[in-house]
Structures are given as C-alpha cells and as structure tokens.
Amino acid sequence: MSAAPLVEQLSREMGISTATSLFDSHPPRPVHPVLAPIFRRGGLPRGEIVSFTGGQSLTCALATIAASTQEQKWCAGIGLGEPAVSSIADLGIDLDRFVNLATPPQDWLRVASILIESFDVLLVDPAYLPSAGERARLLAKVRERKVSFISLSPLAGSTEQIEITGLGWSGTDHGRGRLQSCLVEARSQTGVHRFLLPGPDGTPAEAVASAGLGERPVIRSVS
C-alpha cells in the first residue's frame, strides 16, 4: 500500500509538515558556487550537523562558511588550534565575523552548547565523541536554533558526510616557483567532485576536465 495518500492528507492538516516542506522553509546558507554541488540542497544546511573529514577538511570547511561571514552572520571555531589568520582571510572569510576560541578539549561540548544560542554557524573539531544522550541534546538545540553545525570528525546524527582528500599541488616547475593551487576531491551523497582549494586567488576554483596528480589542471576562475 502506498503511503503517498497519507502523507498528502497529513500535509494538509494544521501544524503537520512533510520533511520536504520543512527543508524548504529553511533554505540552506549560501556557499561558494564551486562548493555548492557537494551539498544535497546546494548550500550549508540550517538546523543540521554536517561532517567534514579527510586531510583537507579544515580548509574546505573554512571555505564553506566564508559566504555566511560575508552576509554578516556570526561564525565560531572550536578546537581548531591556531590556523593562520592570513590563510583564513584568503579563503574569503570576513574576520570581523569569525571567532576562533581556544577551548580546553574536555569543554568543547559545553562551549558549543552555549554558542549555539548566539552564533549562526559553528565549526567544531570535537576532542571526544559525545554520548548518545549528549548528542541528542546537542542536535535538539541545533535544530531549535537553526544553527549550521560543522564537525571535523564523524558524528552520529550528521545529515551530510563529506570527505575531502588532497590530490596534489601545482605551481612549481622543476623544483622552482611558488605553490599556487591544490587539487582536491570531495566525496559526498551527491557524488565525487574535484576542484581547486585553494585556487590561484586563495578561494575555491573549478578544475576543468580531469586533472590528476602529475598533471597541470586547467584553471577557470569563478566569481
């Protein structure tokens, strides 16, 4: 028996919404056009947890929140160490809207729970995995406040899991020159995507065709 008639009936009732309508009422936060395809709805979801893993996960996560800071949204980093300020700015992040907190490892969950009340986006490298109860309370607060929560470790309850792998740098020629861009690969629910991060100007850029290790990728700027 098909469930479609029941879903249609419930969607007409007062206070009852389908998952699709709930997602539509809270559109994702915008991201750089090069990064949009790695997300199921073309942007950073609100009220959900997204997991970034892999060798280039921090760089990609920082690039993902850049558009939010440019729209005057408050973003916070927890447990990220001390990333280079100049590199963060090169990725397009408005430093006036980004706060990086030096948090004791054992306190990351408590600090995150506090910041959810006032920040729009949280980028967290968890020092430990929370218990099932802690995870449920965290997810409930993320949903209630419509916060975009990015974890740099696999976290149960994540609606999107994205693995970022660095494939190789370009810019040097026979041991001379300057590193200019890095070809990376992103694996997510939407498929496998390759792009440059950073690109020649520091922000993400498209890698045309199938450039791989040992090849010089064809670079096309995306404004």
Side-chain angles (χ1 to χ4, degrees):
M1 178 179 178
S2 173
L6 177 59
V7 172
E8 183 179 356
Q9 178 183 350
L10 289 175
S11 65
R12 290 197 299 265
E13 298 293 333
M14 183 72 71
I16 301 295
S17 299
T18 64
T20 299
S21 64
L22 286 174
F23 285 141
D24 290 342
S25 65
H26 302 293
R29 300 186 191 281
V31 298
H32 193 285
V34 167
L35 302 179
I38 70 178
F39 295 98
R40 289 185 299 168
R41 297 193 297 280
L44 188 60
R46 308 184 193 205
E48 301 176 41
I49 296 176
V50 176
S51 295
F52 277 85
T53 59
Q56 294 288 99
S57 58
L58 176 57
T59 301
C60 191
L62 287 169
T64 297
I65 70 174
S68 294
T69 65
Q70 293 166 7
E71 291 194 344
Q72 303 300 294
K73 303 300 182 183
W74 283 102
C75 302
I78 301 173
L80 306 184
E82 297 182 3
V85 174
S86 58
S87 297
I88 295 176
D90 286 345
L91 290 169
I93 292 178
D94 182 350
L95 296 179
D96 289 336
R97 290 285 169 166
F98 178 73
V99 178
N100 188 38
L101 299 176
T103 304
Q106 68 274 16
D107 288 340
W108 81 262
L109 185 58
R110 181 179 64 85
V111 173
S113 298
I114 294 173
L115 295 185
I116 285 174
E117 300 294 332
S118 53
F119 279 75
D120 303 289
V121 182
L122 294 185
L123 173 53
V124 182
D125 190 357
Y128 63 88
L129 294 179
S131 67
E134 291 171 333
R135 193 169 60 245
R137 289 189 290 272
L138 174 66
L139 183 55
K141 294 189 72 172
V142 167
R143 288 173 175 167
E144 178 186 1
R145 304 296 296 181
K146 303 298 182 294
V147 170
S148 295
F149 191 102
I150 302 175
S151 171
L152 295 182
S153 296
L155 197 60
S158 301
T159 56
E160 301 195 41
Q161 300 84 37
I162 303 169
E163 181 182 6
I164 308 295
T165 305
L167 298 180
W169 285 86
S170 63
T172 58
D173 186 15
H174 302 293
R176 301 180 61 184
R178 180 180 179 183
L179 294 175
Q180 295 180 343
S181 59
C182 182
L183 178 66
V184 302
E185 182 175 272
R187 294 177 177 269
S188 68
Q189 286 98 319
T190 64
V192 179
H193 311 274
R194 288 188 175 186
F195 48 88
L196 299 174
L197 183 66
D201 65 351
T203 61
E206 290 185 1
V208 180
S210 56
L213 273 174
E215 302 175 5
R216 296 182 66 88
V218 179
I219 299 170
R220 184 170 70 206
S221 298
V222 176
S223 59

